[in-house]
Amino acid sequence: DISPDGTEVVFTAHLRNRNESTSTRWRTYTYNAKKPHRPVLLTKDFKGRTENPKFSPNGKLISFLATRKVGFESDNLQLIIYDRNAKTFRNTTGNFDRSIYYYKWYDDNTIFLTATDWGIDKIYIVDITKEDDIKNLTDDFFSYIQII
């Protein structure tokens, strides 16, 4: 994803090494195109895989999906928010018992996400200013949903 001011990129990458074929520990980095340097690793302390990073509309936060531990492929993907000023991470869906497969920022405090619940894809809305504030917006009439 590209930052709102167009100066930075946030991305997920897999380190090339001898364990590459057996490890799913993807990590999330930022790169400042205005101040070229090596990419900055954001998720050094995360044990599991991280993926699909995105800047918030104001660029103050970075969101991404993460599993709790490496090698546990059926683990739920959780929505993590990184506060760039405070340099802190917060799991906004820690008690949500579904794996998130897509999400999109709506505004600086709200994210729409999709997850499958008993074989039915549903859209949820998350207020990231509150802990585990996840509301289902759709009912059981849909079988495939994608937020555009």
Side-chain angles (χ1 to χ4, degrees):
D1 193 29
I2 299 171
S3 64
D5 66 3
T7 62
E8 289 181 275
V9 174
V10 63
F11 64 95
T12 301
H14 193 284
L15 292 177
R16 293 193 51 112
N17 59 36
R18 123 178 70 158
N19 299 325
E20 183 177 6
S21 64
T22 59
S23 174
T24 57
R25 190 171 181 200
W26 307 337
R27 296 177 176 189
T28 298
Y29 299 82
T30 58
Y31 180 79
N32 189 324
K34 298 285 183 180
K35 301 175 190 169
H37 62 287
R38 292 185 59 84
V40 176
L41 174 60
L42 294 181
T43 55
K44 175 183 172 189
D45 296 327
F46 277 74
K47 303 283 187 232
R49 177 180 84 232
T50 64
E51 62 182 72
N52 199 10
K54 299 178 183 183
F55 285 98
S56 63
N58 65 11
K60 294 180 180 178
L61 305 172
I62 294 175
S63 57
F64 57 89
L65 300 177
T67 59
R68 289 187 177 98
K69 55 186 175 180
V70 71
F72 186 45
E73 302 309 318
S74 62
D75 196 6
N76 286 348
L77 287 166
Q78 301 290 309
L79 180 65
I80 309 297
I81 304 295
Y82 175 65
D83 184 317
R84 301 179 74 197
N85 292 328
K87 298 191 180 337
T88 56
F89 295 92
R90 190 165 56 87
N91 186 340
T92 61
T93 56
N95 293 320
F96 186 57
D97 189 27
R98 298 292 176 256
S99 189
I100 299 161
Y101 62 86
Y102 183 79
Y103 72 96
K104 186 174 182 84
W105 284 92
Y106 174 71
D107 60 30
D108 292 320
N109 297 317
T110 310
I111 293 176
F112 287 99
L113 61 87
T114 54
T116 303
D117 181 33
W118 293 95
I120 299 170
D121 295 345
K122 296 181 180 181
I123 297 175
Y124 298 85
I125 189 168
V126 180
D127 180 344
I128 65 166
T129 65
K130 301 175 184 171
E131 188 169 333
D132 284 320
D133 186 28
I134 305 165
K135 294 180 178 75
N136 181 2
L137 297 182
T138 54
D139 48 34
D140 296 344
F141 293 125
F142 304 100
S143 62
Y144 177 77
I145 295 175
Q146 183 171 358
I147 302 167
I148 298 176

